[in-house]
Amino acid sequence: MIFERSQVLRNIQAQVAEQIGKSIIRGDVAPGEPIPSEMRLCEMLNVSRTVVREAIRMLSGKGLVESRPRSGTRVRPPELWNQLDPDVLRWQFDTADLATYLVKLFRLRSAVEPMAAAYAAVSGTAEDIAAIRAAADAMAAAESNKAWVEADIAFHRAIHIATRNEFFWPIAQMFGVVLRRAFDLVAPGDHRPRSIKEHRRVMEAIAARDPEAARAAMDVLIDHAAGDLKRMYGIDPRREGGRQEG
């Protein structure tokens, strides 16, 4: 019973942190400005001071706010937020314009993933390559959109792990959050046979220890993924602003 009560309390604290965090990310409170006082937040959210304090502590750990004597709790500039924190990522994407989000995502993918594939070809262990192969096989075997998306995410995560470079690993964790929305959009499409072949080309180049082929194959994969979004939804993440010109 004590465990259940503590779990409920943590859930409430997380919900309050999410409400405040999304408000900050939406820009309801500008960087440098104070958030509502502790008592005001208690009134607004109908929760205890203990809940509010713990929620603020959580947001402070994510870099969104800082508390100082006499100046209260203020919003920090976005460049100081922990942008790789899963909650911060999710709140960003929940409040962002979809086209803007996709432009940023594909710019990151274009900059990072071809290099990750090349490094995986050089540094990946036999176990790493087996994980990449297993994810590619799971994509081919997927019978539902959900299974396809999970396998696709596992494929890209495994490549980042296979770089054997710990600075790529947080990106692998981040992609577990950020790729899901893009993959959910294209999962219902009729592009799967082509996509399976493209993922296999990346996997085979990595397994062959050919970094240039791995890099080139990943470039093609990302470019065609952007093309699928443009064809299906009129959103071109390769274009500034993300909207297809009419």
Side-chain angles (χ1 to χ4, degrees):
M1 183 66 74
I2 294 175
F3 174 78
E4 291 178 357
R5 286 200 298 268
S6 64
Q7 184 63 45
V8 169
L9 181 59
R10 283 196 295 271
N11 289 340
I12 294 172
Q13 292 164 349
Q15 291 170 16
V16 170
E18 178 164 345
Q19 286 184 266
I20 301 172
K22 282 187 176 181
S23 177
I24 290 171
I25 288 172
R26 277 197 307 269
D28 296 348
V29 183
E33 293 298 315
I35 65 173
S37 69
E38 187 176 282
M39 289 304 299
R40 179 59 180 147
L41 287 171
C42 291
E43 295 171 359
M44 292 168 60
L45 302 173
N46 193 29
V47 293
S48 69
R49 296 179 70 178
T50 299
V51 168
V52 168
R53 286 175 180 173
E54 184 57 34
I56 296 301
R57 189 175 296 114
M58 293 170 64
L59 295 174
S60 179
K62 299 175 187 299
L64 271 65
V65 299
E66 62 179 351
S67 299
R68 294 182 178 179
R70 299 183 181 179
S71 63
T73 301
R74 295 179 180 269
V75 175
R76 304 179 81 204
E79 57 268 25
L80 298 180
W81 299 350
N82 182 359
Q83 299 286 358
L84 294 182
D85 180 275
D87 287 332
V88 175
L89 285 167
R90 182 167 51 82
W91 300 340
Q92 291 265 30
F93 303 147
D94 285 347
T95 58
D97 170 73
L98 179 59
T100 300
Y101 157 79
L102 290 172
V103 167
K104 291 180 179 180
L105 172 59
F106 273 81
R107 284 179 177 173
L108 175 65
R109 294 188 67 189
S110 296
V112 173
E113 288 205 276
M115 289 300 298
Y119 290 142
V122 174
S123 303
T125 66
E127 291 77 12
D128 292 328
I129 293 172
I132 297 169
R133 188 183 304 276
D137 290 343
M139 289 183 68
E143 296 182 354
S144 67
N145 290 340
K146 181 179 179 181
W148 170 273
V149 169
E150 292 303 323
D152 205 347
I153 289 172
F155 180 88
H156 292 273
R157 184 189 301 119
I159 288 175
H160 282 78
I161 298 301
T163 64
R164 291 294 119 198
N165 182 329
E166 61 268 26
F167 294 107
F168 275 85
W169 296 347
I171 298 176
Q173 297 172 15
M174 178 187 67
F175 277 168
V177 178
V178 302
L179 288 180
R180 190 173 303 278
R181 183 172 295 183
F183 289 175
D184 281 340
L185 285 173
V186 299
D190 58 2
H191 65 293
R192 286 191 185 181
R194 186 210 73 221
S195 182
I196 289 170
K197 292 179 181 178
E198 291 172 351
H199 282 75
R200 287 206 174 276
R201 289 191 191 105
V202 173
M203 179 269 293
E204 289 166 357
I206 292 173
R209 305 296 187 181
D210 188 337
E212 290 306 317
R215 188 201 320 266
M218 184 63 81
D219 272 328
V220 170
L221 189 158
I222 293 171
D223 188 62
H224 285 177
D228 290 334
L229 282 166
K230 178 180 178 180
R231 175 174 55 85
M232 295 171 68
Y233 298 98
I235 297 174
D236 189 351
R238 298 162 297 190
R239 183 186 298 279
E240 184 68 34
R243 295 295 179 187
Q244 182 176 354
E245 294 180 355

